Amino acid sequence: MLTRIDHIGIACFDLDRTVEFYRATYGFEVYHSEVNEEQGVREAMLRINGTSDGGASYLQLLEPTREDSAVGKWLAKNGEGVHHIAFGTEDVDQDAAAVRDKGVRVLYDEPRTGSMGSRITFLHPKDCHGVLTELVTSRAEH
Amino acid sequence: MLTRIDHIGIACFDLDRTVEFYRATYGFEVYHSEVNEEQGVREAMLRINGTSDGGASYLQLLEPTREDSAVGKWLAKNGEGVHHIAFGTEDVDQDAAAVRDKGVRVLYDEPRTGSMGSRITFLHPKDCHGVLTELVTSRAEH
């Protein structure tokens, strides 16, 4: 069961400049940063608020580490902006199976590693009214 | 001070079908629906979780009521997808003035009426790394 907006994934050309924009404009600070080579991104997580399921909601700023990564190709086509949204769940395997049974294409056979040791999968945007949608179980939950 | 992700605004061609997708796929229910003639949208708010500032995070599904509305023009150009993101604050007037002072273009001279009696304004996406950004104070807060 999906119990929170876990994060909003925002693609940018220059992570450092975008982090600085969010800090200077709103006072949002970097909670965590990492490079995910499998996803081909360098990223910063800005924690915005806690959530009623015991988790939190973040902005996830994403800079591609290579042009042929999913985010790199998306940026070349669309420019900077919201790349995906993510819902948090205690059990990404169960929720991914449930949405697959409803005819929504799940992009990974098995969940992969996301930010901060989470387990994630993505749903096809064409099956979700144009929204690339991630399901995520945080490390504390799995 | 911005204290939560208030909502993610998603533009769609057919509100009823999109509401049904979110209900059937994830079990999300409509918390509130309304027509905002000033904004030129028919909308449904799906409440996803409570937030640590005493508010909540929603998905806001938006169908234009006329082609020449901001959302109508955006949909014609982009197709369905994430239209904007919104941060919640106790004082939208103060936060709008603060970001204006930092050189970010604020689209309204004064906040207007948003969902559920909230007061809202928007920041120019070109000043926000491609993200149309809304600031919102809920009715309970103002």
Side-chain angles (χ1 to χ4, degrees):
Chain A
M1 192 174 125
L2 310 183
T3 54
R4 70 181 173 278
I5 294 177
D6 186 86
H7 63 268
I8 301 169
I10 296 173
C12 62
F13 290 116
D14 184 321
L15 184 62
D16 297 337
R17 285 186 59 184
T18 309
V19 162
E20 176 56 19
F21 166 78
Y22 279 98
R23 192 201 62 72
T25 309
Y26 308 122
F28 297 158
E29 301 286 350
V30 174
Y31 180 82
H32 175 85
S33 60
E34 67 182 271
V35 174
N36 186 322
E37 289 293 358
E38 183 181 32
Q39 301 284 339
V41 293
R42 198 161 78 88
E43 61 175 73
M45 298 293 278
L46 314 181
R47 187 183 187 282
I48 310 302
N49 57 265
T51 54
S52 46
D53 64 351
S57 293
Y58 302 85
L59 296 189
Q60 180 187 51
L61 306 179
L62 300 160
E63 179 195 307
T65 56
R66 48 179 198 270
E67 285 180 10
D68 67 346
S69 64
V71 172
K73 287 189 271 192
W74 188 92
L75 259 178
K77 183 180 173 191
N78 299 286
E80 294 187 317
V82 176
H83 175 262
H84 69 272
I85 69 174
F87 297 114
T89 166
E90 269 190 1
D91 190 338
V92 64
D93 298 86
Q94 185 176 72
D95 281 289
V99 299
R100 186 183 275 123
D101 284 348
K102 290 168 183 168
V104 174
R105 281 169 286 179
V106 177
L107 299 188
Y108 303 152
D109 289 335
E110 296 291 331
R112 298 183 187 176
T113 300
S115 303
M116 304 188 287
S118 61
R119 300 183 70 240
I120 65 170
T121 197
F122 285 94
L123 312 182
H124 200 302
K126 289 196 178 167
D127 295 345
C128 300
H129 288 270
V131 178
L132 177 60
T133 303
E134 179 181 334
L135 307 182
V136 52
T137 295
S138 69
R139 186 161 51 188
E141 289 170 313
H142 72 74
Chain B
M1 192 175 123
L2 310 183
T3 54
R4 70 181 174 279
I5 295 176
D6 187 85
H7 64 267
I8 301 168
I10 296 173
C12 62
F13 290 115
D14 184 320
L15 184 62
D16 296 338
R17 284 186 59 183
T18 309
V19 162
E20 176 55 20
F21 166 79
Y22 280 98
R23 192 201 60 72
T25 309
Y26 309 122
F28 297 158
E29 300 285 350
V30 174
Y31 180 82
H32 174 85
S33 60
E34 67 182 270
V35 175
N36 186 323
E37 289 292 357
E38 184 181 32
Q39 300 284 339
V41 293
R42 198 162 77 90
E43 61 176 72
M45 298 293 276
L46 314 182
R47 187 183 186 283
I48 311 302
N49 57 265
T51 55
S52 46
D53 65 350
S57 294
Y58 302 85
L59 296 189
Q60 180 187 52
L61 306 178
L62 299 160
E63 179 195 306
T65 56
R66 47 180 199 270
E67 285 181 10
D68 68 346
S69 64
V71 173
K73 286 188 270 192
W74 188 92
L75 259 179
K77 182 179 173 192
N78 299 285
E80 295 186 317
V82 176
H83 175 261
H84 68 272
I85 68 174
F87 298 114
T89 166
E90 269 189 1
D91 190 338
V92 63
D93 299 87
Q94 185 176 72
D95 282 289
V99 300
R100 186 182 276 124
D101 284 348
K102 290 168 184 167
V104 174
R105 282 169 285 179
V106 177
L107 300 188
Y108 303 153
D109 289 334
E110 296 290 332
R112 299 184 186 176
T113 300
S115 303
M116 304 188 286
S118 60
R119 299 183 71 240
I120 66 170
T121 197
F122 285 94
L123 312 182
H124 200 302
K126 288 195 178 167
D127 295 345
C128 299
H129 288 270
V131 178
L132 177 60
T133 302
E134 179 181 333
L135 307 182
V136 53
T137 295
S138 69
R139 185 160 53 187
E141 289 170 313
H142 73 74

